[in-house]
Amino acid sequence: MSNKFRNQEANAHGHGYLPGLAIDAVIFGFHDNQLKVLLLTYKNTGLFALPGGFVHDTEDVNEAARRVLFDRTGLTNIFLDQFYVFGDKSRHDTAPLKAIMAVRGVTPPDDHWLLKRFVSVGYYALVDFTKAIPTPDSISDSCDWFGLDNLPELMQDHNLIIKKALETLQANLDQKLIGFNLLTDDFTMGDLQSLYETILNKKLIRAAFQRKILGLGILERTAKKWTGGAHKAPYLYRFISEK
Amino acid sequence: MSNKFRNQEANAHGHGYLPGLAIDAVIFGFHDNQLKVLLLTYKNTGLFALPGGFVHDTEDVNEAARRVLFDRTGLTNIFLDQFYVFGDKSRHDTAPLKAIMAVRGVTPPDDHWLLKRFVSVGYYALVDFTKAIPTPDSISDSCDWFGLDNLPELMQDHNLIIKKALETLQANLDQKLIGFNLLTDDFTMGDLQSLYETILNKKLIRAAFQRKILGLGILERTAKKWTGGAHKAPYLYRFISEK
DNA sequence: TCAAAAGTGTTTCCCTTACACCCATGA
DNA sequence: TCATGGGTGTAAGGGAAACACTTTTGA
């Protein structure tokens, strides 16, 4: 949820949007050897939420997800995938929405469309932490990275959504080779291994990892070297996009 | 789509249902060494469609999918999983729905809820062909198995939905060991291999397959033997449910 | 000179492949 | 007895794991 309220408060019937359908985006980043997700905070409510939005009746659902991702990060051409539909009736909880609106001095009518039951399509995205520009929406007062290890209590079932997104990421990491989307253009083998270890939450064997990754034939060595530490300088690698 | 119209024609506003949200179920069966899916046919329209339905406002989306599966097959406790949300705006096509209604002598008003844009959650199910009892809904005149190799042209994007369901099945076959759901309680190793070969659409090596499957430790030999052919009688195996 | 990180070579182990052989059965 | 399908034994091959050795760098 987020960006869900720009102009919507005055639009009590949700004209122009698909009714009862929301998008929630788990946007992963990697920094300081930690997996992070983008969260919105709502002023004076102590509420935290995943970035999200609704679907215009003129766009595809997947397009809406890309729009949400762009609005919160300024990024396009990013790995973004559906992973689950959250449709339990127990999700229906009007309290947080009312609280957010109340702080803004709005008391929605009981039949306001945002207070109805919503089904949410969960998306997860992998972004380059250094390139994303976290941007709050019109009714949240900040948009920030939070470490996966110390997430706050989130609105509704958003903690569950993140959990399921992480499981999907772990399961697809090797299969779809999506991990690279979390790194900068050039990176060392150590960076990549550290990323894998963080996502999978287990140590990997250095020599085996190096051979396995290089064996995929999807990295090129960019001749350049890194400098700084009291040790041998590692090579920088770059992901080879489709030839 | 199916079962979507029981009582709904008279309910032009879709009261009691989540608006704009549908469920489509790709129900796989296995018979005569062929993968089959359950389809509904609509009288006098030449239209074919996947079984489907809508979500009551008193039930979870996953519950609604189970209900659809039960209504069309009489089965419960069946493998059933979400695999994708079909939400492109190009799906919106009122022609087939109008045709179906027209045959029944109904002309829906232009703002009838069924003529609005729908987003559909795709589910796929794996059922024992011998146990399912295909049952048409109130407005289709038959519900039958169709071989995947000779599917008719289906309503809307239902051919695409089946294609994507099959890809999901292929990708998850080994990982989640879901293939067993398509067989009878007791089966020979040949049956199982034939099933795998059909789903994956490639030949497997007999000896390797047998060792691989038995190596999983999830089958028990039921001592009994099969009879009939001019060759050694194969053992029957049974899937060991959680111990 | 030393510690630490990086790259690579070597050996072992295991799973898959490939091939073969034996068994059971009915025509 | 013969063809056919079913179960299993054995050896080869490929990749991961485990370990070690070398290289590079700054303190």
Side-chain angles (χ1 to χ4, degrees), chain A residues 223-235:
Chain A
K224 293 179 285 183
K225 300 194 179 188
W226 184 254
T227 166
H231 50 75
K232 179 174 177 178
Y235 291 103

Side-chain angles (χ1 to χ4, degrees), chain A residues 1-137:
Chain A
M1 304 246 176
S2 102
N3 192 22
K4 286 182 177 173
F5 313 97
R6 196 196 313 269
N7 300 327
Q8 282 88 331
E9 285 169 14
N11 172 6
H13 300 295
H15 287 310
Y17 290 95
L18 298 192
L21 191 69
I23 280 170
D24 283 306
V26 181
I27 303 171
F28 288 106
F30 185 64
H31 191 63
D32 283 343
N33 279 343
Q34 219 194 355
L35 264 185
K36 297 179 181 294
V37 294
L38 262 189
L39 296 182
L40 296 171
T41 62
Y42 292 92
K43 189 163 6 190
N44 294 334
T45 62
L47 290 173
F48 298 86
L50 286 171
F54 304 107
V55 184
H56 291 130
D57 53 17
T58 56
E59 68 184 349
D60 299 340
V61 175
N62 289 340
E63 276 177 15
R66 297 222 159 265
R67 174 172 51 79
V68 168
L69 179 57
F70 176 76
D71 287 346
R72 297 298 132 254
T73 65
L75 297 174
T76 56
N77 280 89
I78 292 300
F79 177 89
L80 175 70
D81 226 358
Q82 292 181 14
F83 67 94
Y84 200 72
V85 176
F86 299 87
D88 284 4
K89 59 179 184 297
S90 61
R91 302 182 78 236
H92 192 202
D93 173 16
T94 61
L97 284 147
K98 285 181 174 172
I100 290 170
M101 287 181 163
V103 166
R104 313 192 72 222
V106 178
T107 306
D110 279 348
D111 66 343
H112 193 287
W113 74 299
L114 288 177
L115 298 180
K116 295 198 195 307
R117 174 179 167 188
F118 273 80
V119 167
S120 190
V121 183
Y123 283 81
Y124 75 114
L126 306 182
V127 309
D128 179 344
F129 181 89
T130 65
K131 288 184 181 159
I133 302 169
T135 311
D137 61 23

Side-chain angles (χ1 to χ4, degrees), chain B residues 206 211 221 230-232 234-235:
Chain B
R206 192 172 57 91
R211 255 188 292 264
R221 199 174 265 180
H231 51 74
K232 179 174 178 180
Y235 291 103

